[in-house]
Amino acid sequence: MNSLQVLMDEHRLIERAVDALVVYAREVGRGADHPRADLAGFVEFIRGYADAHHHGKEEDILFRAMADCGMPTNAGPLAVMLAEHHEARRLTAVMAELADDVGDWEDQERSRLLKSGIGYAQLLRAHIQKEDGILYPMAQNMLPEDAREQVEQLFQRFEAEAANVERASRLETAVTELAERYPG
């Protein structure tokens, strides 16, 4: 299924963003005075791309198709993925709160950033490995041809919507700039 390759390609960009976030968080944790606006940029990417764009396609299209074919969402692989998406959102909210603060970084804030940024990175790296190595192959094998075709159509429709294309492109550019500023 091409949609699974699209998701895996998006994982590579998300991993690049996560690597840069770790550099940013560690440097701020060690006392660097990096601008909060850069953290806001990471949060915007996470919320707009990793969550709304990527997780949205997973949850609204792929996971729904898998559930329609009998995979439970309250136990097993889908429940784990959904719980991890929820935890990622919680960690992102902590980072968003820190990005919204004004003034110099305080020690407590540096510690919270380090904990939430590293926690998010660890969570996403393990999450991506599970999806690429287990869940997506499982989807490929379990979904009947008509379900795979429907997933493809829904992905193509999502990918073709101008607002989604524009948002994804803008966020890809922004995170590329952040990754160049904070190379991982």
Side-chain angles (χ1 to χ4, degrees):
M1 289 182 352
N2 184 47
S3 56
L4 299 178
Q5 187 59 54
V6 167
L7 291 172
M8 288 190 287
D9 291 345
E10 290 172 357
H11 281 165
R12 304 299 75 84
L13 180 62
I14 293 167
E15 287 170 331
R16 187 169 183 215
V18 164
D19 290 345
L21 173 62
V22 166
V23 170
Y24 175 88
R26 284 186 175 150
E27 289 179 2
V28 170
R30 290 185 193 122
D33 289 322
H34 294 316
R36 290 179 193 267
D38 287 349
L39 180 57
F42 284 114
V43 169
E44 182 182 15
F45 174 81
I46 291 166
R47 286 183 167 164
Y49 190 91
D51 196 24
H53 185 79
H54 179 80
H55 291 161
K57 284 187 289 192
E58 287 177 338
E59 292 176 4
D60 296 340
I61 301 171
L62 180 63
F63 295 1
R64 184 168 291 153
M66 294 174 79
D68 289 347
C69 289
M71 183 172 279
T73 58
N74 60 349
L78 289 182
V80 171
M81 296 299 102
L82 291 168
E84 289 178 357
H85 287 182
H86 179 75
E87 178 62 8
R89 290 176 186 122
R90 187 192 69 75
L91 291 166
T92 303
V94 172
M95 291 185 283
E97 182 182 315
L98 292 167
D100 287 343
D101 284 348
V102 293
D104 294 336
W105 288 99
E106 296 177 13
D107 289 343
Q108 181 186 19
E109 292 175 315
R110 291 176 189 280
S111 177
R112 287 181 67 211
L113 172 61
L114 198 53
K115 184 177 179 180
S116 60
I118 300 298
Y120 180 86
Q122 290 172 338
L123 174 71
L124 259 285
R125 287 176 180 145
H127 180 81
I128 287 170
Q129 284 184 330
K130 286 181 250 186
E131 287 181 339
D132 286 355
I134 299 168
L135 189 72
Y136 296 168
M138 188 181 292
Q140 179 68 40
N141 291 329
M142 79 168 287
L143 293 175
E145 183 64 31
D146 62 329
R148 287 196 307 266
E149 288 175 10
Q150 183 179 18
V151 167
E152 290 302 322
Q153 290 171 0
L154 291 171
F155 262 67
Q156 288 173 7
R157 191 175 310 146
F158 182 94
E159 294 289 329
E161 288 181 21
N164 293 332
V165 171
E166 181 182 326
R167 177 184 61 202
S169 177
R170 181 179 54 79
L171 291 170
E172 288 170 14
T173 299
V175 84
T176 297
E177 291 171 5
L178 285 168
E180 289 171 0
R181 225 173 296 153
Y182 305 103

